[in-house]
Amino acid sequence: MGQATVDLLVREGARVVAADVVEQTALADRLGGAERGVHAIAVDLRDETSVRDAAARSVELLGGIDGLANVAGIVKMAPALDHERPLWEDQFAVNVFGPFDLARLVVRHMIEQGVAGAVVNVASEAGKQGHPGMIAYNASKAAVINWTRVAAAEWAPHGINVNCVCPGGVATAMLHQVADNHARGSETDAASFFEIMSNEQLGRHIDPTEVASVISFLLTDRVQAVRGQSVNVDGGGSPY
C-alpha cells in the first residue's frame, strides 16, 4: 500500500520521501529519483531517534512538508491467552507510537512554517470489528482511529487536517501472513484461507491502488469538511 501510494502521489505531481524500514532506493530510482523529487530513506518506527531523524531528513530533502501518509503496520498473531506483553509492545511500537511521533514532528514543522497540510493514517477495519488471534493488532488500529480524531480537533486551528483510512482484505504480503497463520494446524491450506478473505461484495481482494486513491484524495485541500474520519476502504464490510 505504501508503494502504491508513492506511485500515485508522484504521478499526481508530488515530491515525495518514501520512508521504510529498508531504504527503498529502487522504488525512488524507478520514479525518477532526486531529479524528480523522489527520495528514499530508512526509518525504524520502533526507535524514537530514527523517527526524529527521518522527519528532519525529509524536511531537508523536500525543503518543507505539507502532507504525511502514515502507511505502516505489522501483525503478530496468537490466541488472546497467549498474547503476552512483547507482542503488544511490538505491534503498538510500529502501528501506533512510531506513526504518531512522525505525525507530531511533521505537524510541528508545518505549524512553525505557517503551512497548512494534511495527515492521513492507515488504520484497518480490524480496528472497528476485530478478529480472533489478532487482539493486539485490533487494539493498535483502534488506537490509530482514536488518535486521528483527537489530533484532527487539536490541529485544526493550525490548518492541519487529519483523517485515516480503514482497509479491509488488501492483497498484500501481510494478508498472506495472516492466511499462513490460520492454516497452521488446520486442514485448510494457506491459499484457501487467502481466498476466503477476499471481499464478498467485490468478489476479489481489495487492490493496494484502491487504498492509495483514497489516501491521495484525503491529502488534498479539496476535503476540508472531512475531518477526523475513519474512511472505510473495505468493499462494504464495516457497518460504520
Side-chain angles (χ1 to χ4, degrees):
M1 286 188 288
Q3 179 174 315
T5 301
V6 171
D7 283 344
L8 178 57
L9 293 177
V10 170
R11 289 201 309 272
E12 292 177 337
R15 293 180 299 116
V16 176
V17 171
D20 199 355
V21 67
V22 176
E23 188 172 311
Q24 299 296 322
T25 306
L27 171 63
D29 289 345
R30 176 172 63 79
L31 295 173
E35 292 185 3
R36 175 63 185 76
V38 185
H39 310 273
I41 63 172
V43 62
D44 184 348
L45 291 173
R46 301 167 298 179
D47 185 290
E48 289 182 70
T49 300
S50 180
V51 173
R52 185 168 58 250
D53 290 348
R57 180 62 175 151
S58 297
V59 171
E60 178 185 348
L61 288 168
L62 297 175
I65 298 176
D66 60 9
L68 170 65
N70 264 322
V71 191
I74 60 169
V75 61
K76 295 189 176 182
M77 298 181 65
L81 288 175
D82 298 325
H83 233 88
E84 298 179 354
R85 184 166 296 201
L87 291 182
W88 286 82
E89 291 171 345
D90 286 348
Q91 292 176 89
F92 267 71
V94 175
N95 298 352
V96 184
F97 303 150
F100 177 74
D101 279 343
L102 193 56
R104 178 178 60 82
L105 293 166
V106 167
V107 168
R108 178 170 290 166
H109 165 77
M110 293 181 190
I111 293 171
E112 289 173 352
Q113 299 301 310
V115 174
V119 175
V120 181
N121 302 313
V122 175
S124 171
E125 56 82 31
K128 296 185 175 184
Q129 304 190 87
H131 301 291
M134 304 167 60
I135 193 167
Y137 179 82
N138 300 334
S140 72
K141 292 303 186 177
V144 172
I145 293 169
N146 191 276
W147 81 249
T148 292
R149 190 157 185 82
V150 175
E154 290 200 19
W155 298 340
H158 304 287
I160 310 298
N161 194 7
V162 189
N163 290 286
C164 69
V165 297
C166 294
V170 183
T172 62
M174 181 185 286
L175 195 66
H176 279 289
Q177 177 190 347
V178 172
D180 291 345
N181 189 280
H182 282 310
R184 294 191 189 109
S186 170
E187 295 181 359
T188 304
D189 59 37
S192 297
F193 269 113
F194 186 76
E195 289 308 313
I196 289 169
M197 289 186 287
S198 63
N199 182 265
E200 181 178 356
Q201 293 185 37
L202 293 173
R204 58 172 174 80
H205 294 95
I206 297 161
D207 191 84
T209 60
E210 294 175 298
V211 181
S213 294
V214 180
I215 293 172
S216 173
F217 174 65
L218 292 172
L219 283 170
T220 69
D221 57 8
R222 301 193 302 268
V223 289
Q224 290 300 305
V226 181
R227 312 186 74 87
Q229 298 303 302
S230 52
V231 180
N232 296 326
V233 191
D234 66 350
S238 296
Y240 68 98

